[in-house]
Amino acid sequence: MRSFTYERAATPADAARAVASHPNAKFIAGGTNLLDLMKLEIETPAHLIDVGQLGLDRIEKAGDGIRIGTLVSNTALSAHERVREDYPVLTRAIQAGASGQLRNKATTGGNLLQRTRCIYFYDTNMPCNKRAPGSGCAAIGGISRQLGVIGTSDACIATYPGDMAVAMRVLDAAVETIRPDGTMRSIPIADFHRLWGDTPHIETVLEPGELITHVYLPKPLGGKQFYAKVRDRRSYAFALVSVAAVIQPDGTGWVAFGGVAPKPWRVPEADAMLPHGAKAVVDRAFADARPTEDNAFKIPLARRTLAGVLADAKA
């Protein structure tokens, strides 16, 4: 790990200004992803701004919904009474991810910003446009079983690895931020993560120094809520395919997929196909898929996983 300087921010606005004013600075809170990347010298920040003491660790009522502080741990969020009762898909998604120890440290904001687990991204001997823009993508033509089948590009076929954001996508969450100039904005989670295009190293729409302060969940959707995750081993593994779904008594609802794209993958037109069954939904959601020979199985796997969710919803 390379040497770096460190400071502790007093307010969210101070933290945003500090990152914007220091070349190659990063926020740090739980550090469950950033510290690993620093040890491998994939991330090499010269300055760290500790945001862990900003008081953004509460879950509060906000109109018909709730507002989640960026520093709320995954454990606290998944166990919160209101979340368990009104947003159970979120509890299930969080508990499907990582280990109990990591969930105790991982924060809401940090979870949204976690970086891909592509093996070529983690191997600094291999070309990777996310790690070293313009160097190429070793995954294209390489081992791609875990990687993306839709929303990818000729520059990158990595996936967004998280579970929590997939549930938040089906719930239509909004990410609230503060910029270095003190202005605030709310970003629909549908727009928060970017498709890779020609710049896969730019993963979100956040501006330099912009700090996540909260995540807002709107009025509960009701219905039966599910999070189904298919992985190579039962625990502590990232999804090959995951499905977050909210199904209403009349068979309508909303569905998002994880493990398949650069962002939680939801196609509103596919939601409308839910009464017609899993095949109709997946055919629409993955209509533009470009799988590799290694990962083409993910599309029928998504279909079977959703079919299981729909069968459980009818039980």
Side-chain angles (χ1 to χ4, degrees):
M1 184 183 293
R2 300 185 187 183
S3 61
F4 56 88
T5 53
Y6 168 92
E7 69 175 285
R8 181 172 290 175
T11 69
D14 288 343
R17 283 193 295 269
V19 165
S21 63
H22 285 82
N24 196 20
K26 290 280 186 180
F27 299 117
I28 187 167
T32 57
N33 190 201
L34 178 60
L35 290 177
D36 284 343
L37 295 174
M38 289 173 65
K39 291 173 185 176
L40 294 170
E41 297 194 356
I42 295 168
E43 293 272 14
T44 55
H47 190 63
L48 292 182
I49 313 297
D50 188 343
V51 297
Q53 307 299 318
L54 299 183
L56 300 173
D57 57 354
R58 293 184 290 274
I59 301 172
E60 301 171 326
K61 190 178 188 308
D64 291 332
I66 60 172
R67 180 167 283 109
I68 304 158
T70 191
L71 297 175
V72 172
S73 72
N74 285 183
T75 296
L77 180 57
S78 67
H80 192 271
E81 183 177 2
R82 178 83 189 274
V83 175
R84 291 172 65 90
E85 289 181 358
D86 290 340
Y87 308 96
V89 64
L90 181 55
T91 289
R92 290 168 181 150
I94 292 171
Q95 292 180 349
S99 65
Q101 294 94 327
L102 285 173
R103 292 196 298 269
N104 288 341
K105 289 294 292 181
T107 62
T108 299
N111 195 298
L112 289 174
L113 295 173
Q114 64 183 300
R115 306 200 68 188
T116 187
R117 265 57 180 193
C118 174
I119 58 173
Y120 298 103
F121 174 72
Y122 273 81
D123 186 348
T124 56
N125 294 308
M126 303 298 291
C128 172
N129 287 319
K130 292 180 71 60
R131 179 171 25 80
S135 63
C137 177
I140 296 176
I143 299 170
S144 56
R145 183 173 181 273
Q146 289 277 353
L147 302 180
V149 298
I150 196 164
T152 55
S153 74
D154 292 338
C156 183
I157 60 172
T159 57
Y160 173 77
D163 295 291
M164 183 190 78
V166 182
M168 287 184 170
R169 178 66 184 94
V170 87
L171 295 170
D172 278 329
V175 181
E176 300 178 348
T177 70
I178 186 167
R179 295 180 172 112
D181 64 2
T183 60
M184 305 178 78
R185 67 168 171 160
S186 178
I187 307 165
I189 198 163
D191 302 328
F192 182 75
H193 297 99
R194 299 175 72 254
L195 297 181
W196 299 147
D198 295 330
T199 56
H201 60 292
I202 304 174
E203 298 176 349
T204 72
V205 298
L206 292 177
E207 299 169 3
E210 191 170 8
L211 173 68
I212 298 172
T213 58
H214 299 86
V215 173
Y216 172 73
L217 296 183
K219 181 179 178 180
L221 296 173
K224 293 184 177 181
Q225 301 189 13
F226 302 88
Y227 190 77
K229 180 176 180 178
V230 181
R231 45 193 160 177
D232 282 328
R233 56 183 185 271
R234 187 165 183 174
S235 66
Y236 203 61
F238 296 98
L240 291 168
V241 167
S242 65
V243 173
V246 178
I247 309 298
Q248 301 292 3
D250 62 0
T252 62
W254 305 268
V255 61
F257 298 90
V260 295
K263 59 193 296 183
W265 193 252
R266 181 179 166 200
V267 177
E269 294 83 0
D271 291 346
M273 304 304 294
L274 273 167
H276 302 287
K279 183 180 186 302
V281 173
V282 170
D283 285 352
R284 181 64 189 87
F286 291 85
D288 298 322
R290 298 196 308 170
T292 68
E293 184 177 350
D294 284 351
N295 65 23
F297 72 92
K298 285 193 174 191
I299 298 173
L301 181 60
R303 186 182 305 119
R304 291 194 293 271
T305 304
L306 178 58
V309 165
L310 296 179
D312 288 344
K314 292 178 182 178

